[in-house]
């Protein structure tokens, strides 16, 4: 079965539910074929970046939603926009995805990158969590590509 759009966000449902488990880096893949937890093969081709609990299939009896798998995430607390810029520049040059939330910059843990960041004075903590949001290099705002 091909799932070509997001139908909504799973909050509560009395329908039969199945889940497609994804790694954070699989969220924007087109034509990705995976087995659901229940064993059904589906192809994801939504053309969007999927988020945790996105419903990708729904009929009157059941639905299939995305479940992101937890991964090791490094969180670095930053004190200024200058620090955010410096840290994100370094992470970007290493090819790492970044999530910014308030005073925290998060990225999927990579030992070599963590060592380089420590050498430059950036220290963080590593935890197991869902890396749900990241900045894409080609985000579009209005009619400009960043």
């Amino acid at each position: 079965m091909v799932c070509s759009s997001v139908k909504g966000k799973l909050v509560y449902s009395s329908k039969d539910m199945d889940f497609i488990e994804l790694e954070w880096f699989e969220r924007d893949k087109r034509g990705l074929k995976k087995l659901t937890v229940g064993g059904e093969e589906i192809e994801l081709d939504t053309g969007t970046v999927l988020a945790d609990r996105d419903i990708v299939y729904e009929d009157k009896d059941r639905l299939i939603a995305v479940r992101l798998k937890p991964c090791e995430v490094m969180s670095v607390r930053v004190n200024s926009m200058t620090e955010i810029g410096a840290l994100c520049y370094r992470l970007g040059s290493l090819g790492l995805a970044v999530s910014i939330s308030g005073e925290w910059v998060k990225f999927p843990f990579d030992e070599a990158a963590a060592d380089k960041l420590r050498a430059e004075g950036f220290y963080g903590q590593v935890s197991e969590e869902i890396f749900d949001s990241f900045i894409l290099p080609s985000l579009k705002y209005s009619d400009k590509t960043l």
Side-chain angles (χ1 to χ4, degrees), residues 86-107:
L87 178 57
C88 290
Y89 176 80
R90 284 165 180 80
L91 293 169
S93 69
L94 296 170
L96 295 173
V98 175
S99 171
I100 302 170
S101 178
E103 59 193 18
W104 293 96
V105 174
K106 297 181 177 192
F107 57 95

Side-chain angles (χ1 to χ4, degrees), residues 3-145:
C3 299
S4 59
S5 66
V6 174
K7 312 298 184 202
K9 188 68 100 175
L10 179 62
V11 178
Y12 169 80
S13 179
S14 59
K15 296 179 179 184
D16 288 337
M17 289 186 272
D18 198 357
F19 293 91
I20 180 90
E21 293 186 328
L22 299 177
E23 302 284 347
W24 70 268
F25 52 84
E26 295 176 314
R27 299 177 340 143
D28 64 340
K29 302 286 186 219
R30 296 195 71 160
L32 180 67
K33 293 181 181 178
K34 301 272 289 189
L35 289 177
T36 66
V37 173
E40 183 176 354
E41 183 178 28
I42 65 169
E43 180 179 343
L44 294 172
D45 200 10
T46 62
T48 63
V49 178
L50 295 169
D52 197 47
R53 299 185 343 256
D54 278 350
I55 297 170
V56 294
Y57 175 82
E58 185 172 21
D59 64 24
K60 64 183 180 85
D61 299 319
R62 70 184 187 117
L63 60 83
I64 299 172
V66 172
R67 181 187 295 157
L68 293 180
K69 293 180 180 180
C71 65
E72 285 189 312
V73 173
M74 186 163 190
S75 302
V76 179
R77 182 179 235 152
V78 288
N79 297 312
S80 67
M81 290 299 285
T82 303
E83 281 187 13
I84 290 174
L87 178 57
C88 290
Y89 176 80
R90 284 165 180 80
L91 293 169
S93 69
L94 296 170
L96 295 173
V98 175
S99 171
I100 302 170
S101 178
E103 59 193 18
W104 293 96
V105 174
K106 297 181 177 192
F107 57 95
F109 180 70
D110 177 85
E111 188 69 48
D115 289 343
K116 288 181 182 183
L117 292 174
R118 285 186 207 106
E120 295 183 25
F122 292 103
Y123 297 91
Q125 57 196 32
V126 179
S127 60
E128 185 89 4
E129 60 184 83
I130 292 173
F131 187 66
D132 191 320
S133 180
F134 63 98
I135 298 172
L136 294 171
S138 62
L139 284 177
K140 291 187 178 182
Y141 292 98
S142 64
D143 58 340
K144 294 183 179 179
T145 301

